[in-house]
Amino acid sequence: MKTFNSQALEELYVKSKESKTLVCTDFLGNTIQCTFDWNMPIEVEELEKIIFDKNLKLPKEYMDFLLMANGAILYNTEEDSGYQLLSIQEAIRFTEEMKELGYDLKEEWLIFMTNLFDSDMLLFDLNKIDTKRYIIDG
C-alpha cells in the first residue's frame, strides 16, 4: 500500500490545465499525446459537509486535490487508456454501486480512482489513513 501524492497532481494540473494536453512517453517508449480534463474544485464547506454526513476520514492529500480539482481524467489517449480520479461524490456513489453489484468491499474502503481501459481501481482504506499506507490496488 502507498499514499496519495497531491504534489505530483498539482504539477500535472499546472502543466496541463490550459492546453489540456501533454506529450507523454508510453510503456514502449513511444511519444504520445495525452489529454487531461480537470473538474472544478469543490467548495470547502461542501467538502466538510460530505465528510461530516458520511463520517469519512480522508487523506489530507486527497482533500487538497479535491480543493484544486474535484475529479479528473488523467493521461487519456485516443484508445481511452487513461485514468479517472473520482470526485468525492463519484467516489462515494461508485463505491456504493460496486457493493450493490456484489464486490466484497469493506465498509472502510472508498474507491477513488479507476482505469478507463479495464476494471482496475484504487481504494483508500480509511481505517489506515494515519499509517500513511492506505492505498489498496483493487
Side-chain angles (χ1 to χ4, degrees):
M1 286 194 266
K2 301 221 182 229
T3 59
F4 192 85
N5 188 335
S6 62
Q7 182 180 356
L9 280 172
E10 187 174 341
E11 289 178 29
L12 274 177
Y13 179 82
V14 169
K15 289 180 180 181
S16 67
K17 178 65 177 158
E18 294 301 315
S19 68
K20 297 189 182 226
T21 63
L22 286 176
V23 175
C24 304
T25 305
D26 69 12
F27 64 94
L28 297 175
N30 301 311
T31 302
I32 56 173
Q33 189 84 3
C34 294
T35 61
F36 295 77
D37 188 18
W38 303 91
N39 294 352
M40 295 297 297
I42 191 169
E43 296 292 327
V44 173
E45 298 79 17
E46 184 179 359
L47 180 57
E48 289 172 347
K49 181 177 180 345
I50 291 169
I51 290 170
F52 179 80
D53 290 349
K54 295 291 185 179
N55 193 28
L56 297 173
K57 183 176 182 180
L58 297 173
K60 180 190 178 318
E61 296 83 3
Y62 181 61
M63 290 189 292
D64 290 345
F65 163 73
L66 297 171
L67 295 170
M68 180 182 68
N70 188 20
I73 302 291
L74 309 173
Y75 296 102
N76 197 13
T77 65
E78 292 177 359
E79 294 84 30
D80 284 330
S81 63
Y83 306 90
Q84 182 176 12
L85 190 48
L86 302 173
S87 71
I88 185 62
Q89 298 92 333
E90 291 168 327
I92 292 166
R93 184 176 57 249
F94 189 65
T95 301
E96 290 171 359
E97 287 173 8
M98 293 298 101
K99 288 178 183 177
E100 289 172 8
L101 289 173
Y103 282 77
D104 187 20
L105 300 176
K106 294 181 180 179
E107 195 59 36
E108 64 271 15
W109 291 356
L110 180 70
I111 301 166
F112 72 92
M113 181 178 248
T114 63
N115 288 335
L116 298 176
F117 52 91
D118 63 23
S119 61
D120 283 349
M121 58 188 81
L122 293 177
L123 306 93
F124 291 133
D125 184 336
L126 302 178
N127 282 347
K128 295 186 177 180
I129 298 301
D130 295 330
T131 70
K132 298 294 183 192
R133 297 183 59 79
Y134 50 77
I135 295 179
I136 302 168
D137 184 6

Coordinates of all heavy atoms in Angstrom, one line a residue, residues 15-89:
K15 N 0.8 22.1 -15.4 CA 1.3 21.8 -16.8 C 0.2 21.6 -17.8 O 0.4 21.9 -19.0 CB 2.3 20.6 -16.8 CG 3.6 20.9 -16.1 CD 4.5 19.7 -16.1 CE 5.8 20.0 -15.4 NZ 6.7 18.9 -15.4
S16 N -0.9 21.1 -17.4 CA -1.9 20.7 -18.4 C -3.3 21.4 -18.3 O -4.1 21.2 -19.1 CB -2.2 19.2 -18.3 OG -2.8 18.9 -17.0
K17 N -3.4 22.3 -17.3 CA -4.7 23.0 -17.1 C -5.1 23.8 -18.3 O -6.3 23.7 -18.8 CB -4.6 23.9 -15.9 CG -5.9 24.7 -15.6 CD -7.1 23.8 -15.3 CE -8.3 24.6 -14.9 NZ -9.5 23.9 -15.1
E18 N -4.3 24.6 -18.9 CA -4.6 25.4 -20.0 C -4.8 24.7 -21.3 O -5.8 24.7 -22.0 CB -3.6 26.6 -20.2 CG -3.5 27.5 -19.1 CD -4.9 28.2 -18.8 OE1 -5.5 28.7 -19.8 OE2 -5.3 28.3 -17.7
S19 N -3.8 23.9 -21.7 CA -3.8 23.2 -23.0 C -4.6 21.9 -23.0 O -5.0 21.4 -24.0 CB -2.4 22.9 -23.5 OG -1.8 21.9 -22.6
K20 N -4.7 21.4 -21.7 CA -5.4 20.1 -21.5 C -4.7 18.9 -22.2 O -5.2 17.8 -22.3 CB -6.9 20.1 -22.0 CG -7.7 21.1 -21.2 CD -9.1 21.0 -21.5 CE -9.9 22.0 -20.7 NZ -11.0 21.5 -20.0
T21 N -3.4 19.1 -22.6 CA -2.7 18.0 -23.2 C -1.2 18.1 -22.7 O -0.7 19.2 -22.4 CB -2.7 18.1 -24.8 OG1 -2.0 19.3 -25.2 CG2 -4.1 18.0 -25.3
L22 N -0.6 17.0 -22.8 CA 0.9 16.9 -22.6 C 1.4 15.8 -23.5 O 0.7 14.8 -23.8 CB 1.2 16.5 -21.1 CG 1.0 17.5 -20.0 CD1 1.3 16.8 -18.7 CD2 1.9 18.7 -20.2
V23 N 2.7 16.0 -23.9 CA 3.3 14.9 -24.7 C 3.9 14.0 -23.6 O 4.6 14.4 -22.7 CB 4.4 15.5 -25.6 CG1 5.2 14.4 -26.3 CG2 3.8 16.4 -26.6
C24 N 3.6 12.7 -23.8 CA 4.0 11.7 -22.8 C 4.7 10.5 -23.5 O 4.7 10.4 -24.7 CB 2.7 11.1 -22.1 SG 1.7 12.3 -21.3
T25 N 5.3 9.7 -22.8 CA 6.0 8.5 -23.3 C 5.3 7.3 -22.8 O 5.0 7.2 -21.6 CB 7.5 8.5 -22.8 OG1 8.1 9.7 -23.2 CG2 8.2 7.3 -23.4
D26 N 4.9 6.4 -23.7 CA 4.2 5.2 -23.3 C 5.2 4.1 -22.8 O 6.4 4.3 -22.8 CB 3.2 4.7 -24.3 CG 3.9 4.1 -25.6 OD1 5.2 3.9 -25.5 OD2 3.3 3.8 -26.6
F27 N 4.6 3.0 -22.3 CA 5.5 2.0 -21.8 C 6.4 1.3 -22.8 O 7.4 0.7 -22.4 CB 4.7 0.9 -21.0 CG 3.8 0.1 -21.9 CD1 4.2 -1.1 -22.4 CD2 2.5 0.5 -22.2 CE1 3.4 -1.9 -23.3 CE2 1.7 -0.2 -23.1 CZ 2.1 -1.4 -23.6
L28 N 6.2 1.6 -24.1 CA 7.1 1.1 -25.1 C 8.1 2.1 -25.6 O 9.0 1.9 -26.4 CB 6.3 0.6 -26.3 CG 5.3 -0.6 -26.1 CD1 4.5 -0.8 -27.4 CD2 6.1 -1.8 -25.7
G29 N 8.0 3.3 -25.0 CA 9.0 4.3 -25.3 C 8.5 5.3 -26.4 O 9.2 6.1 -26.9
N30 N 7.3 5.1 -26.9 CA 6.7 5.9 -27.9 C 6.2 7.2 -27.4 O 5.6 7.3 -26.3 CB 5.5 5.2 -28.6 CG 6.0 3.9 -29.3 OD1 7.0 3.8 -30.0 ND2 5.2 2.8 -29.0
T31 N 6.4 8.3 -28.1 CA 5.8 9.6 -27.7 C 4.4 9.7 -28.1 O 4.0 9.4 -29.3 CB 6.6 10.7 -28.4 OG1 8.0 10.6 -28.0 CG2 6.1 12.1 -28.0
I32 N 3.5 10.0 -27.2 CA 2.1 10.1 -27.5 C 1.5 11.4 -26.9 O 2.1 11.9 -26.0 CB 1.3 8.9 -26.9 CG1 1.5 8.7 -25.4 CG2 1.7 7.6 -27.7 CD1 0.7 7.6 -24.8
Q33 N 0.4 11.8 -27.4 CA -0.3 13.0 -26.9 C -1.4 12.5 -25.9 O -2.2 11.7 -26.2 CB -1.0 13.7 -28.0 CG -1.6 15.0 -27.6 CD -0.6 16.2 -27.7 OE1 0.6 16.0 -28.0 NE2 -1.0 17.3 -27.3
C34 N -1.3 13.0 -24.7 CA -2.3 12.6 -23.6 C -3.1 13.8 -23.3 O -2.6 15.0 -23.2 CB -1.6 12.1 -22.3 SG -0.7 10.6 -22.6
T35 N -4.4 13.6 -23.0 CA -5.3 14.7 -22.6 C -5.6 14.6 -21.1 O -5.5 13.5 -20.5 CB -6.6 14.7 -23.4 OG1 -7.3 13.5 -23.1 CG2 -6.3 14.8 -24.9
F36 N -5.9 15.7 -20.5 CA -6.2 15.9 -19.1 C -7.5 16.7 -19.0 O -7.6 17.7 -19.7 CB -5.1 16.5 -18.4 CG -3.8 15.7 -18.3 CD1 -3.0 15.7 -19.5 CD2 -3.5 15.0 -17.2 CE1 -1.8 14.9 -19.4 CE2 -2.3 14.2 -17.2 CZ -1.5 14.2 -18.3
D37 N -8.4 16.3 -18.2 CA -9.6 17.1 -18.0 C -9.9 17.2 -16.5 O -10.1 16.2 -15.8 CB -10.8 16.3 -18.7 CG -12.1 17.2 -18.7 OD1 -12.0 18.4 -18.5 OD2 -13.1 16.6 -18.9
W38 N -9.8 18.4 -16.0 CA -9.8 18.7 -14.6 C -11.2 19.3 -14.3 O -11.6 20.2 -14.9 CB -8.8 19.7 -14.2 CG -7.4 19.2 -14.6 CD1 -6.7 19.5 -15.7 CD2 -6.5 18.4 -13.8 NE1 -5.5 18.8 -15.7 CE2 -5.3 18.2 -14.5 CE3 -6.6 17.9 -12.5 CZ2 -4.3 17.5 -14.0 CZ3 -5.6 17.1 -12.0 CH2 -4.4 16.9 -12.7
N39 N -11.9 18.7 -13.3 CA -13.1 19.2 -12.8 C -12.9 20.5 -12.0 O -11.8 20.8 -11.5 CB -13.8 18.2 -11.9 CG -14.3 17.0 -12.6 OD1 -14.2 16.9 -13.8 ND2 -14.7 16.0 -11.8
M40 N -14.0 21.3 -11.8 CA -13.9 22.4 -11.0 C -13.7 22.0 -9.5 O -14.1 20.9 -9.1 CB -15.2 23.2 -11.0 CG -15.5 23.8 -12.4 SD -14.3 25.0 -12.9 CE -14.5 26.3 -11.7
P41 N -13.0 22.8 -8.7 CA -12.8 22.4 -7.3 C -14.1 22.4 -6.5 O -15.0 23.0 -6.9 CB -11.8 23.5 -6.8 CG -12.0 24.6 -7.7 CD -12.4 24.1 -9.0
I42 N -14.0 21.6 -5.5 CA -15.2 21.6 -4.5 C -15.0 22.7 -3.6 O -13.9 23.1 -3.2 CB -15.3 20.2 -3.8 CG1 -16.6 20.1 -3.1 CG2 -14.1 20.0 -2.9 CD1 -16.9 18.7 -2.6
E43 N -16.1 23.3 -3.1 CA -16.0 24.3 -2.1 C -15.7 23.7 -0.7 O -16.2 22.6 -0.4 CB -17.4 25.1 -2.0 CG -17.7 25.8 -3.2 CD -16.8 27.0 -3.5 OE1 -16.3 27.6 -2.5 OE2 -16.6 27.3 -4.7
V44 N -14.9 24.3 0.1 CA -14.5 23.8 1.4 C -15.7 23.4 2.2 O -15.8 22.3 2.8 CB -13.7 24.9 2.2 CG1 -13.4 24.4 3.6 CG2 -12.4 25.2 1.5
E45 N -16.8 24.3 2.2 CA -18.0 24.0 3.0 C -18.7 22.7 2.6 O -19.2 21.9 3.4 CB -18.9 25.2 3.0 CG -18.4 26.4 3.6 CD -17.5 27.2 2.6 OE1 -17.5 26.9 1.4 OE2 -16.7 28.1 3.1
E46 N -18.7 22.5 1.2 CA -19.4 21.3 0.7 C -18.6 20.1 1.1 O -19.2 19.1 1.4 CB -19.6 21.4 -0.8 CG -20.3 20.3 -1.4 CD -20.5 20.4 -2.9 OE1 -20.1 21.4 -3.5 OE2 -21.1 19.4 -3.5
L47 N -17.3 20.2 0.9 CA -16.4 19.0 1.3 C -16.6 18.7 2.8 O -16.7 17.5 3.2 CB -15.0 19.3 1.0 CG -14.0 18.2 1.3 CD1 -14.3 16.9 0.6 CD2 -12.5 18.7 0.9
E48 N -16.6 19.7 3.6 CA -16.7 19.5 5.1 C -18.1 18.8 5.4 O -18.2 17.9 6.2 CB -16.6 20.8 5.8 CG -15.2 21.3 5.9 CD -15.0 22.7 6.5 OE1 -16.0 23.4 6.6 OE2 -13.9 23.1 6.7
K49 N -19.1 19.3 4.7 CA -20.5 18.7 4.9 C -20.5 17.2 4.5 O -21.0 16.4 5.2 CB -21.5 19.5 4.1 CG -22.9 18.9 4.3 CD -23.9 19.8 3.5 CE -25.4 19.4 3.7 NZ -25.7 18.1 4.2
I50 N -19.9 16.9 3.3 CA -19.9 15.5 2.9 C -19.1 14.6 3.9 O -19.5 13.5 4.2 CB -19.3 15.4 1.5 CG1 -20.2 16.0 0.4 CG2 -18.9 13.9 1.1 CD1 -19.6 16.2 -0.9
I51 N -18.0 15.1 4.3 CA -17.1 14.4 5.3 C -17.9 14.1 6.6 O -17.9 13.0 7.1 CB -15.8 15.1 5.6 CG1 -14.9 15.1 4.3 CG2 -15.1 14.6 6.8 CD1 -13.7 16.0 4.4
F52 N -18.6 15.2 7.0 CA -19.4 15.0 8.3 C -20.6 14.1 8.1 O -20.8 13.2 8.8 CB -19.9 16.4 8.7 CG -20.7 16.3 10.0 CD1 -20.1 16.2 11.2 CD2 -22.1 16.4 9.9 CE1 -20.9 16.2 12.4 CE2 -22.9 16.3 11.0 CZ -22.3 16.2 12.3
D53 N -21.4 14.3 7.0 CA -22.6 13.5 6.7 C -22.3 12.0 6.5 O -23.0 11.2 7.0 CB -23.3 14.0 5.5 CG -24.0 15.3 5.7 OD1 -24.1 15.8 6.9 OD2 -24.4 16.0 4.7
K54 N -21.1 11.7 5.9 CA -20.8 10.3 5.6 C -19.8 9.8 6.6 O -19.4 8.6 6.5 CB -20.1 10.2 4.2 CG -21.1 10.6 3.1 CD -22.1 9.5 2.9 CE -23.0 9.8 1.7 NZ -24.0 8.8 1.6
N55 N -19.4 10.6 7.6 CA -18.5 10.2 8.7 C -17.2 9.6 8.1 O -16.8 8.5 8.4 CB -19.2 9.2 9.6 CG -18.3 9.0 10.9 OD1 -17.6 9.9 11.3 ND2 -18.4 7.8 11.4
L56 N -16.6 10.4 7.2 CA -15.4 10.0 6.5 C -14.1 10.6 7.1 O -14.2 11.7 7.6 CB -15.4 10.5 5.0 CG -16.5 9.9 4.1 CD1 -16.5 10.6 2.8 CD2 -16.4 8.4 4.0
K57 N -13.1 9.8 7.0 CA -11.7 10.3 7.4 C -10.9 10.2 6.2 O -10.4 9.1 5.8 CB -11.2 9.5 8.6 CG -9.8 10.1 9.0 CD -9.3 9.3 10.3 CE -8.0 10.0 10.7 NZ -7.5 9.3 11.9
L58 N -10.7 11.2 5.4 CA -10.0 11.2 4.1 C -8.6 11.6 4.3 O -8.2 12.4 5.2 CB -10.7 12.1 3.1 CG -12.1 11.8 2.8 CD1 -12.7 12.9 1.9 CD2 -12.2 10.5 2.1
P59 N -7.7 11.1 3.4 CA -6.3 11.6 3.5 C -6.2 13.1 3.2 O -7.0 13.6 2.3 CB -5.6 10.8 2.3 CG -6.5 9.7 2.0 CD -7.9 10.1 2.4
K60 N -5.4 13.8 3.9 CA -5.3 15.3 3.7 C -4.9 15.6 2.2 O -5.4 16.5 1.6 CB -4.2 15.9 4.6 CG -4.0 17.4 4.4 CD -2.8 17.9 5.1 CE -2.6 19.4 4.9 NZ -2.8 19.9 3.6
E61 N -4.0 14.8 1.6 CA -3.6 15.0 0.2 C -4.7 14.8 -0.7 O -4.8 15.6 -1.7 CB -2.5 14.0 -0.1 CG -1.2 14.1 0.7 CD -1.3 13.4 2.1 OE1 -2.3 12.8 2.4 OE2 -0.3 13.6 2.8
Y62 N -5.7 13.9 -0.5 CA -6.8 13.8 -1.4 C -7.8 15.0 -1.2 O -8.3 15.5 -2.2 CB -7.6 12.5 -1.0 CG -8.8 12.2 -1.9 CD1 -8.7 12.1 -3.3 CD2 -10.1 12.1 -1.3 CE1 -9.8 11.9 -4.1 CE2 -11.2 11.8 -2.1 CZ -11.1 11.7 -3.5 OH -12.2 11.5 -4.2
M63 N -7.9 15.5 0.0 CA -8.7 16.7 0.2 C -8.1 17.9 -0.4 O -8.8 18.7 -1.0 CB -9.0 16.9 1.7 CG -9.8 15.9 2.4 SD -10.3 16.2 4.1 CE -8.7 16.1 4.9
D64 N -6.8 18.0 -0.4 CA -6.1 19.1 -1.1 C -6.4 19.0 -2.6 O -6.6 20.0 -3.2 CB -4.6 19.0 -0.9 CG -4.2 19.4 0.6 OD1 -5.0 19.9 1.3 OD2 -3.0 19.0 0.9
F65 N -6.3 17.8 -3.1 CA -6.6 17.6 -4.6 C -8.1 18.1 -4.9 O -8.3 18.8 -5.8 CB -6.4 16.1 -5.0 CG -7.1 15.8 -6.3 CD1 -6.6 16.3 -7.5 CD2 -8.3 15.1 -6.3 CE1 -7.3 16.0 -8.7 CE2 -8.9 14.8 -7.5 CZ -8.4 15.3 -8.7
L66 N -9.0 17.6 -4.0 CA -10.4 18.0 -4.3 C -10.7 19.5 -4.3 O -11.5 20.0 -5.0 CB -11.3 17.3 -3.2 CG -11.3 15.8 -3.2 CD1 -12.1 15.3 -2.0 CD2 -11.9 15.2 -4.5
L67 N -9.9 20.2 -3.5 CA -10.0 21.6 -3.4 C -9.3 22.3 -4.6 O -9.6 23.5 -4.9 CB -9.4 22.2 -2.1 CG -10.2 21.7 -0.8 CD1 -9.4 22.1 0.4 CD2 -11.6 22.3 -0.8
M68 N -8.5 21.5 -5.3 CA -7.8 22.0 -6.6 C -8.7 21.6 -7.8 O -8.9 22.4 -8.7 CB -6.4 21.4 -6.7 CG -5.7 21.8 -7.9 SD -4.1 21.0 -8.0 CE -4.5 19.3 -8.3
A69 N -9.2 20.4 -7.8 CA -10.0 19.8 -8.9 C -10.8 18.6 -8.3 O -10.2 17.7 -7.8 CB -9.1 19.4 -10.0
N70 N -12.1 18.7 -8.3 CA -12.9 17.7 -7.7 C -13.1 16.6 -8.7 O -14.2 16.4 -9.2 CB -14.2 18.3 -7.2 CG -15.1 17.3 -6.4 OD1 -14.5 16.3 -5.9 ND2 -16.3 17.5 -6.3
G71 N -12.0 15.9 -9.0 CA -12.1 14.8 -10.0 C -11.3 15.2 -11.3 O -11.1 16.4 -11.6
A72 N -10.8 14.2 -12.0 CA -10.1 14.5 -13.2 C -9.9 13.2 -14.1 O -10.0 12.1 -13.6 CB -8.7 15.0 -12.9
I73 N -9.8 13.4 -15.4 CA -9.3 12.3 -16.3 C -7.9 12.6 -16.6 O -7.5 13.7 -17.0 CB -10.2 12.3 -17.6 CG1 -11.7 12.2 -17.3 CG2 -9.6 11.2 -18.5 CD1 -12.1 10.8 -16.8
L74 N -7.0 11.6 -16.3 CA -5.6 11.8 -16.5 C -5.0 10.9 -17.5 O -5.4 9.7 -17.6 CB -4.9 11.5 -15.1 CG -5.4 12.2 -13.9 CD1 -4.7 11.7 -12.7 CD2 -5.2 13.7 -14.0
Y75 N -4.1 11.4 -18.3 CA -3.3 10.6 -19.3 C -4.2 9.8 -20.3 O -4.0 8.7 -20.6 CB -2.4 9.5 -18.6 CG -1.3 10.2 -17.8 CD1 -1.4 10.3 -16.4 CD2 -0.2 10.7 -18.4 CE1 -0.4 10.9 -15.6 CE2 0.8 11.3 -17.7 CZ 0.7 11.4 -16.3 OH 1.7 12.0 -15.5
N76 N -5.3 10.4 -20.7 CA -6.2 9.8 -21.7 C -5.6 9.9 -23.1 O -4.9 10.9 -23.4 CB -7.6 10.5 -21.6 CG -8.6 9.6 -22.3 OD1 -8.4 8.4 -22.6 ND2 -9.8 10.2 -22.5
T77 N -5.8 8.8 -23.8 CA -5.3 8.8 -25.2 C -6.5 8.5 -26.1 O -7.6 8.3 -25.6 CB -4.2 7.7 -25.4 OG1 -4.8 6.4 -25.2 CG2 -3.1 8.0 -24.5
E78 N -6.3 8.4 -27.4 CA -7.4 8.0 -28.3 C -8.0 6.7 -28.0 O -9.1 6.4 -28.4 CB -6.8 8.0 -29.8 CG -6.5 9.4 -30.3 CD -5.9 9.4 -31.7 OE1 -5.7 8.3 -32.3 OE2 -5.5 10.5 -32.2
E79 N -7.2 5.8 -27.4 CA -7.7 4.5 -27.0 C -8.4 4.4 -25.7 O -8.7 3.4 -25.1 CB -6.5 3.4 -27.0 CG -5.9 3.2 -28.4 CD -4.9 4.3 -28.7 OE1 -4.2 4.8 -27.8 OE2 -4.7 4.6 -29.9
D80 N -8.7 5.6 -25.1 CA -9.2 5.6 -23.7 C -8.4 4.8 -22.8 O -8.9 3.9 -22.1 CB -10.7 5.2 -23.7 CG -11.6 6.3 -24.3 OD1 -11.3 7.5 -24.1 OD2 -12.7 5.9 -24.8
S81 N -7.1 5.1 -22.7 CA -6.2 4.3 -21.8 C -5.8 5.1 -20.6 O -4.8 4.8 -20.0 CB -5.0 3.8 -22.6 OG -4.3 4.9 -23.1
G82 N -6.5 6.1 -20.2 CA -6.1 6.9 -19.1 C -6.8 6.4 -17.8 O -7.2 5.3 -17.6
Y83 N -6.9 7.4 -16.9 CA -7.4 7.1 -15.5 C -8.4 8.1 -15.1 O -8.3 9.3 -15.5 CB -6.2 7.1 -14.5 CG -5.1 6.2 -14.9 CD1 -4.0 6.7 -15.7 CD2 -5.1 4.9 -14.5 CE1 -3.0 5.8 -16.1 CE2 -4.0 4.0 -14.9 CZ -3.0 4.5 -15.7 OH -2.0 3.7 -16.1
Q84 N -9.4 7.7 -14.3 CA -10.3 8.7 -13.8 C -10.1 8.8 -12.3 O -10.3 7.8 -11.6 CB -11.8 8.2 -14.1 CG -12.8 9.2 -13.5 CD -14.2 8.9 -13.9 OE1 -14.5 7.8 -14.3 NE2 -15.1 9.9 -13.7
L85 N -9.7 9.9 -11.9 CA -9.6 10.2 -10.4 C -10.9 10.8 -10.0 O -11.3 11.9 -10.5 CB -8.4 11.2 -10.2 CG -8.0 11.5 -8.8 CD1 -7.7 10.3 -8.0 CD2 -6.7 12.3 -8.9
L86 N -11.6 10.1 -9.2 CA -13.0 10.4 -8.9 C -13.2 11.6 -8.0 O -12.4 11.8 -7.1 CB -13.7 9.2 -8.3 CG -13.7 7.9 -9.1 CD1 -14.2 6.7 -8.3 CD2 -14.4 8.0 -10.4
S87 N -14.2 12.4 -8.3 CA -14.6 13.4 -7.3 C -15.1 12.7 -6.1 O -15.4 11.5 -6.1 CB -15.8 14.3 -7.9 OG -17.0 13.5 -8.0
I88 N -15.2 13.4 -5.0 CA -15.7 12.8 -3.8 C -17.1 12.3 -3.9 O -17.4 11.2 -3.4 CB -15.5 13.8 -2.5 CG1 -15.9 13.1 -1.2 CG2 -16.4 15.0 -2.7 CD1 -15.0 11.9 -0.9
Q89 N -17.9 13.0 -4.6 CA -19.3 12.5 -4.9 C -19.3 11.2 -5.7 O -20.0 10.2 -5.4 CB -20.2 13.5 -5.5 CG -20.3 14.8 -4.7 CD -19.3 15.9 -5.0 OE1 -18.2 15.6 -5.5 NE2 -19.7 17.1 -4.8

